[in-house]
C-alpha cells in the first residue's frame, strides 16, 4: 500500500498542526505556562521541513516569528523572556534547517532510485516476502500489458503460464529463503494481458534481508524464436545427414576427424565412435594403392582449394568399396585452414559397371568379327577393329555414314528389311548375305543383328555382329560338289553291283547246272581226280551263287527299299522266329524277349535284321545251348533294340570289321556263311537313320544293339 500523501493533504495537515500549536501556546502563555507547550511547534516545523525542505525553513521562520509575537503579546512576565523566546526560535530554525537538508538529500536519492527503477531498460518489479508485487516499472507494464496499479499487490506467479507456475513459485520460494544477493536466472513464460505469451529471462535478486526480492526480466521471445528455428534447422540437418546415402565428415585444422555421420557404419563398417577413438583409421581405411589420392587431397587443402577424388577403401570386413571423396577447406582470416567439410559417396556400382563396360568394349575391340553399332535409321555409331580389318574402312571413314555403304547394289532392299525387323524389337540370327568391301570385292557374311534398348525398354538402335564366311561358303560349295560326285558314284556302284550280280546269275546258273549235270552223269565213271575236280567245280559254282545272291540282296537294300510303315516289332519278331523254327529246334535254342514297341520302318527289311542277328546268335553258340534275348528301350527320341546271346563272343578288335561286307572271323568249315549278314543289317539300319554296334567279350556272349528313330506316321524320312 502506498502511504505517500498528496500535496493537498500535506498542506491541510500542516495548517491544522500549526493552528493547533499556535492555539496551545496562546492558551499556555496567557496562563503563564511557557516552555513545555512551545515544544508543540516542533511538529509542524519537522513536517514542513521534511515535506518542503528549504521552503519548510521559511515556514519555520514564519512560525518562529509568530511564536515571538505570541510571547510578546500574551506572556506575563517572567513566563518567557524575549531573549529566551528568540533563543527558542533559533533552535526551531536550526532543527528545521537540519531536517530540511536531510530530507532534501533523501528525496534526491529516492528520485535517483526512481529514475533508475523506471529507466533500467528491463522490466523490473519488487516483490514482498510473500511474492506479491510491490512495485513494477514502466517496462514491465509495457511487456505484460497491465497498468502498474493492476499489478501491484498481485502475486508474480499469477502472471506466469500454467505449466511453468509451480516451478517458478518453488524457485522464488527458494530464493526467498536463501541468503545473499547473488542474482539467479531462469527462463520462463509470462502470460500477457491480451492472452499472448512472452518468453522471458528472469533475473532474481534478494532485495535485502527479510526484504523480499527484486526481479527483472528480458523479453527473449525473439531469441527463443531464433533458438527454435536453429533447433529445427539442426534436426533437419541431422535427419538429412542420417538419411542421405553419403557419409558427411568434418576435419579440424590438423585434418583429424571431428565429425563423421552415422552412415559411415554402412559404407566402411566402422561407426563414428570408432573414427573418434582411432584417428589413424581415417587414413587407415584407404586402399594402399590409392594412398596417393590422400596426398593430393592434403595438397589441395593446404592450397585452400576444394578437392574431389575417387579412391578405394577397405571396409572392416575386408571387402573393398569405391568412394567419391569431395570437400573443401574453410580458412581463417590469416588464410590458415580452420576446418574441412566433405563427404564420401559410394560409387562401387558405377565403377563395376564402368569396368564391365570397358571389359566388354575391349572384347568388342579385340574381336575378329565385324561389330557395328547403328541407329534405327541405319547411321553407323560404332566400328570395331574387326570391322576395319574385314571391310577395309577405318572407323573415322565409317562412323556417321549410312550402313548401306556396305550393301552390294543387288541387295539394297535388305537394309530396310533388317532395320524394320530391328524397329519391331526382333533379332536376326545367322542371316547369310553378302557385303562389299572398300576395295569393291564381295564377301559372304553371316550377320546376327540385335536391337539395343534404352533403360525404359525402347529400341534405340542395333548391334550387328558379322562373320566373314567367304571361306566357309567356298568349302560348303566344294563339299556339296563332292557329295554330289559321291552320290553319283555310289549310285553307279550300286547299279553296277546290282547289274553285275543280276546279270552274272544267268551264266552262273548255267555253269552250275552243267557242272551238276557233269557230276550226275560222270561221277564214278572217270578217274578219281576227275571226280574231285567235278566236286570242286560244283562247290565253287554253288558258293558263287550264294555270294552273288547276297550281293544282290545287299544292293537291293537301297534300290528296292519300301516306304516306312507302322511296324509292330513284337509281331515281326514272332514271324522271324517262325522262319527260324528249324534252326532253333536243331540247336535247341531258346529265344526270349521283352515287350517290343511299334516303330516306323520298312517291315521286311527290319525282319531281315532280326533274322540275321538271331540266326547269328544261334549259329555262333558255345558249348551251352543258345540262349537269345531280344529287348528294346526308349532313349531320347529313339528306340534302342538289343539281341543278346550266350555264344562264343567277339574280340574287341573285330567290333567294326564284322559289319564290313564279306568279312568273317571263321572259316566256312567252322561256321557256315558268306559274311554279308551284318553288312546288310548295317545298311538297313542306316537307311532307317539309326546305328548298329556290338558289345562282347570272347566266351561271354555278344549283344548286338541297333537304334530306330521314333517317328510319327507321315514323318519325312
Ligand atoms: P556270317 O554270319 O555269314 O559269317 P555275318 O556278317 O553275319 O556273316 O557275320 C560276320 C562275322 O561276325 C561272323 O563270321 C562271325 O565271326 C561274327 N559274328 C556275327 N554274329 C556273331 C555272334 N552272335 N557271336 C559271335 N560272332 C558273331
Amino acid at each position: 500500500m502506498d502511504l505517500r500523501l498528496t500535496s493537498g493533504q500535506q498542506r491541510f495537515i500542516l495548517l491544522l498542526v500549526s493552528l493547533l500549536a499556535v492555539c496551545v501556546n496562546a492558551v499556555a502563555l496567557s496562563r503563564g505556562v511557557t516552555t513545555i507547550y512551545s515544544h508543540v511547534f516542533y511538529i509542524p516545523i519537522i513536517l514542513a521541513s521534511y515535506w518542503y525542505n528549504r521552503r519548510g525553513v521559511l515556514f519555520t521562520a514564519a512560525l518562529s516569528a509568530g511564536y515571538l509575537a505570541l510571547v510578546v503579546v500574551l506572556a506575563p512576565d517572567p513566563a518567557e523572556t524575549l531573549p529566551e523566546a528568540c533563543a527558542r526560535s533559533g533552535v526551531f530554525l536550526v532543527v528545521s534547517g537540519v531536517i530540511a537538508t536531510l530530507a532534501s538529500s533523501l528525496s534526491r536519492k529516492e528520485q535517483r532510485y526512481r529514475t533508475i527503477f523506471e529507466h533500467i531498460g528491463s522490466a523490473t518489479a519488487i516483490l514482498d516476502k510473500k511474492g506479491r508485487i510491490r512495485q513494477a516499472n514502466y517496462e514491465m507494464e509495457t511487456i505484460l500489458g497491465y497498468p502498474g496499479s493492476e499489478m501491484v499487490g498481485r502475486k508474480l506467479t499469477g502472471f506466469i503460464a500454467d505449466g511453468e507456475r509451480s516451478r517458478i513459485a518453488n524457485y522464488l520460494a527458494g530464493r526467498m529463503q536463501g541468503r545473499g544477493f547473488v542474482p539467479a536466472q531462469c527462463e520462463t513464460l509470462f502470460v500477457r494481458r491480451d492472452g499472448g505469451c512472452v518468453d522471458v529471462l528472469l533475473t532474481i535478486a534478494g532485495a535485502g534481508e527479510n526484504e523480499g526480492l527484486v526481479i527483472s526480466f528480458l523479453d527473449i521471445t525473439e531469441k527463443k524464436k531464433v533458438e527454435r528455428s536453429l533447433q529445427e534447422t539442426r534436426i533437419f540437418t541431422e535427419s538429412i545427414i542420417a538419411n542421405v546415402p553419403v557419409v558427411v565428415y568434418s576435419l579440424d585444422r590438423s585434418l583429424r576427424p571431428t565429425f563423421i555421420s552415422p552412415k559411415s557404419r554402412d559404407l566402411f563398417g566402422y561407426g563414428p565412435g570408432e573414427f573418434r577413438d582411432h584417428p589413424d583409421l581415417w587414413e587407415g581405411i584407404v586402399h594402399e594403392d590409392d594412398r596417393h589420392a590422400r596426398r593430393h587431397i592434403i595438397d589441395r587443402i593446404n592450397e585452400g582449394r576444394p578437392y574431389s577424388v575417387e579412391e578405394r577403401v577397405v571396409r572392416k570386413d575386408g571387402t573393398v568399396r569405391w568412394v567419391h571423396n569431395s570437400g573443401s577447406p574453410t580458412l581463417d582470416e590469416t588464410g590458415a585452414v580452420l576446418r574441412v567439410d566433405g563427404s564420401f559417396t559410394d560409387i562401387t556400382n558405377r565403377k563395376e559397371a564402368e569396368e564391365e563396360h570397358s571389359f566388354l568394349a575391349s572384347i568388342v575391340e579385340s574381336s575378329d568379327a565385324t561389330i557395328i553399332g547403328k541407329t534405327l535409321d541405319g547411321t553407323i555409331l560404332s566400328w570395331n577393329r574387326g570391322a576395319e580389318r574385314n571391310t577395309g574402312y577405318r572407323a573415322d571413314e565409317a562412323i556417321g555414314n549410312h550402313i548401306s555403304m556396305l550393301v552390294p547394289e543387288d541387295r539394297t532392299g535388305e537394309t530396310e528389311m533388317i532395320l524394320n525387323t530391328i524397329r519391331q524389337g526382333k533379332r536376326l540370327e545367322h542371316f547369310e548375305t553378302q557385303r562389299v568391301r572398300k576395295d569393291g570385292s564381295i564377301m559372304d557374311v553371316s550377320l546376327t543383328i540385335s536391337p539395343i534398348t534404352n533403360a525404359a525398354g525402347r529400341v534405340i538402335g542395333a548391334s550387328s555382329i558379322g562373320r566373314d564366311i567367304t571361306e566357309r561358303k567356298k568349302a560348303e560349295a566344294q563339299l556339296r560338289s563332292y557329295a554330289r560326285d559321291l552320290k553319283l558314284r555310289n549310285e553307279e556302284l550300286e547299279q553296277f553291283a546290282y547289274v553285275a550280280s543280276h546279270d552274272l546269275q544267268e551264266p552262273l546258273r548255267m555253269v552250275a547246272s552243267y557242272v551238276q549235270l557233269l557230276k550226275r552223269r560222270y561221277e564214278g565213271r572217270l578217274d578219281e581226280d576227275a571226280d574231285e575236280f567235278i566236286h570242286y567245280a560244283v562247290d565253287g559254282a554253288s558258293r558263287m551263287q550264294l555270294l552273288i545272291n547276297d550281293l544282290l540282296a545287299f544292293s537291293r537294300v537301297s534300290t528296292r527299299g519300301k516306304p516306312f510303315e507302322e511296324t509292330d516289332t513284337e509281331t515281326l519278331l514272332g514271324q522271324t522266329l517262325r522262319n527260324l523254327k528249324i534252326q532253333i529246334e536243331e540247336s535247341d535254342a531258346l529265344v526270349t524277349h521283352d515287350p517290343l514297341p511299334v516303330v516306323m520302318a520298312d517291315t521286311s527289311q527290319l525282319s531281315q535284321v532280326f533274322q540275321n542277328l538271331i540266326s547269328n546268335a544261334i549259329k555262333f553258340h558255345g558249348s551251352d545251348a543258345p540262349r537269345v534275348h531280344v529287348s528294346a528301350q526308349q532313349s531320347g527320341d529313339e528306340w534302342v533294340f538289343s539281341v543278346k546271346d550266350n555264344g562264343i563272343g567277339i574280340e574287341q578288335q573285330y567290333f567294326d570289321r564284322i559289319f564290313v561286307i564279306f568279312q568273317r572271323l571263321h572259316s566256312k568249315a567252322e561256321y557256315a556263311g558268306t559274311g554279308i549278314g551284318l553288312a546288310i543289317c548295317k545298311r538297313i539300319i542306316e537307311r532307317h537313320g539309326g546305328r548298329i554296334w556290338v558289345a562282347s567279350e570272347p566266351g561271354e556272349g555278344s549283344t548286338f544293339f541297333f537304334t530306330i528313330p521314333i517317328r510319327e506316321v507321315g514323318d519325312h524320312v
Side-chain angles (χ1 to χ4, degrees), residues 616 619-620 645 650 658 663-666 673-675 677-678 702:
N616 277 352
K619 182 165 65 176
F620 296 103
D645 64 47
I650 306 165
I658 55 174
Q663 292 292 334
R664 311 196 67 229
L665 304 181
H666 307 279
T674 55
L678 290 179
S702 314

Side-chain angles (χ1 to χ4, degrees), residues 277-321:
D277 299 343
H278 309 283
D280 292 347
L281 205 52
W282 186 251
E283 291 290 329
I285 54 167
V286 183
H287 191 282
E288 57 182 25
D289 292 347
D290 289 345
R291 295 269 156 85
H292 61 277
R294 283 297 168 100
R295 281 194 291 280
H296 168 76
I297 291 177
I298 293 169
D299 290 346
R300 298 278 297 190
I301 290 172
N302 289 336
E303 289 163 16
R305 292 156 68 193
Y307 56 86
S308 167
V309 297
E310 289 179 356
E311 61 187 17
R312 275 163 297 172
V313 289
V314 182
R315 299 183 79 245
K316 194 175 187 178
D317 62 10
T319 53
V320 174
R321 307 289 293 175

Side-chain angles (χ1 to χ4, degrees), residues 188-380:
T188 187
L189 206 60
F190 273 102
V191 182
R192 291 167 50 86
R193 191 183 196 191
D194 60 13
C197 288
V198 204
D199 281 297
V200 297
L201 175 68
L202 211 60
T203 304
I204 304 162
E209 210 151 333
N210 297 323
E211 275 300 322
L213 296 172
V214 177
I215 64 120
S216 67
F217 57 83
L218 285 174
D219 181 349
I220 53 167
T221 311
E222 281 309 310
K223 184 185 144 223
K224 277 284 180 188
K225 252 192 222 160
V226 173
E227 266 180 23
R228 274 183 210 117
S229 118
L230 277 176
Q231 171 84 346
E232 276 166 21
T233 311
R234 195 174 60 80
I235 291 170
F236 177 66
T237 315
E238 279 176 3
S239 129
I240 285 184
I241 287 175
N243 290 305
V244 288
V246 295
V247 174
V248 181
Y249 63 82
S250 297
L251 310 177
D252 62 13
R253 59 176 75 235
S254 27
L255 307 186
R256 272 195 308 260
T258 51
F259 170 79
I260 183 153
S261 63
K263 281 272 176 215
S264 68
R265 195 166 283 113
D266 297 346
L267 183 53
F268 304 125
Y270 297 104
E274 286 168 282
F275 280 102
R276 241 190 335 270
D277 299 343
H278 309 283
D280 292 347
L281 205 52
W282 186 251
E283 291 290 329
I285 54 167
V286 183
H287 191 282
E288 57 182 25
D289 292 347
D290 289 345
R291 295 269 156 85
H292 61 277
R294 283 297 168 100
R295 281 194 291 280
H296 168 76
I297 291 177
I298 293 169
D299 290 346
R300 298 278 297 190
I301 290 172
N302 289 336
E303 289 163 16
R305 292 156 68 193
Y307 56 86
S308 167
V309 297
E310 289 179 356
E311 61 187 17
R312 275 163 297 172
V313 289
V314 182
R315 299 183 79 245
K316 194 175 187 178
D317 62 10
T319 53
V320 174
R321 307 289 293 175
W322 271 101
V323 292
H324 176 240
N325 181 1
S326 64
S328 58
T330 304
L331 307 179
D332 64 14
E333 56 284 351
T334 67
V337 176
L338 197 64
R339 56 181 287 147
V340 179
D341 298 294
S343 65
F344 291 106
T345 312
D346 189 346
I347 54 165
T348 312
N349 291 347
R350 196 197 84 201
K351 277 283 181 186
E352 281 172 0
E354 277 174 12
E355 269 167 30
E356 195 180 339
H357 182 263
S358 71
F359 180 67
L360 291 177
S362 76
I363 291 177
V364 168
E365 258 322 280
S366 59
S367 169
D368 276 343
T370 303
I371 303 178
I372 300 171
K374 58 193 173 195
T375 61
L376 282 184
D377 63 5
T379 307
I380 297 168

Side-chain angles (χ1 to χ4, degrees), residues 587 616-627 645-648 671:
S587 59
N616 277 352
I618 296 170
K619 182 165 65 176
F620 296 103
H621 66 82
S623 48
D624 295 338
R627 293 284 175 266
D645 64 47
N646 59 343
I648 57 171
Y671 296 99

Side-chain angles (χ1 to χ4, degrees), residues 352-546:
E352 281 172 0
E354 277 174 12
E355 269 167 30
E356 195 180 339
H357 182 263
S358 71
F359 180 67
L360 291 177
S362 76
I363 291 177
V364 168
E365 258 322 280
S366 59
S367 169
D368 276 343
T370 303
I371 303 178
I372 300 171
K374 58 193 173 195
T375 61
L376 282 184
D377 63 5
T379 307
I380 297 168
L381 293 177
S382 70
W383 192 260
N384 76 337
R385 246 178 271 146
E388 290 189 336
R389 266 194 306 272
N390 298 335
T391 65
Y393 289 105
R394 290 193 317 273
D396 60 311
E397 292 172 315
I399 291 173
N401 279 324
H402 198 263
I403 193 70
S404 56
M405 67 188 267
L406 294 176
V407 181
E409 274 175 21
D410 57 335
R411 290 177 186 262
T412 42
E414 232 175 51
T415 314
E416 206 40 37
M417 181 278 288
I418 293 174
L419 290 174
N420 269 337
T421 310
I422 292 303
R423 283 183 200 119
Q424 289 163 21
K426 292 186 193 146
R427 210 171 126 89
L428 218 67
E429 272 183 77
H430 309 304
F431 175 65
E432 295 193 357
T433 180
Q434 290 186 319
R435 291 291 177 257
V436 59
R437 297 193 184 91
K438 188 179 177 184
D439 62 9
S441 59
I442 297 287
M443 57 179 163
D444 288 301
V445 291
S446 163
L447 301 179
T448 293
I449 304 170
S450 320
I452 299 173
T453 51
N454 64 8
R458 209 165 63 83
V459 180
I460 51 166
S463 71
S464 158
I465 303 177
R467 276 187 308 113
D468 187 343
I469 54 166
T470 313
E471 289 308 313
R472 200 194 82 196
K473 279 276 171 189
K474 269 190 207 155
E476 274 176 10
Q478 210 154 28
L479 215 64
R480 270 198 301 278
S481 127
Y482 286 151
R484 254 196 321 273
D485 282 2
L486 210 65
K487 192 162 174 265
L488 226 60
R489 277 178 206 186
N490 224 12
E491 279 168 9
E492 278 171 14
L493 255 165
E494 271 174 7
Q495 198 58 29
F496 168 76
Y498 178 71
V499 170
S501 44
H502 186 265
D503 291 2
L504 279 176
Q505 265 185 331
E506 189 43 42
L508 190 60
R509 208 173 294 129
M510 206 184 309
V511 173
S513 50
Y514 279 101
V515 289
Q516 269 161 7
L517 193 64
L518 261 179
K519 188 182 172 193
R520 272 201 306 277
R521 287 222 189 140
Y522 300 104
E523 194 173 29
R525 296 170 67 182
L526 302 171
D527 60 15
E528 266 188 25
D529 280 352
D531 278 355
E532 197 178 338
F533 295 160
I534 289 170
H535 171 74
Y536 285 140
V538 169
D539 188 46
S542 57
R543 269 186 52 215
M544 176 125 23
Q545 267 184 322
L546 267 178

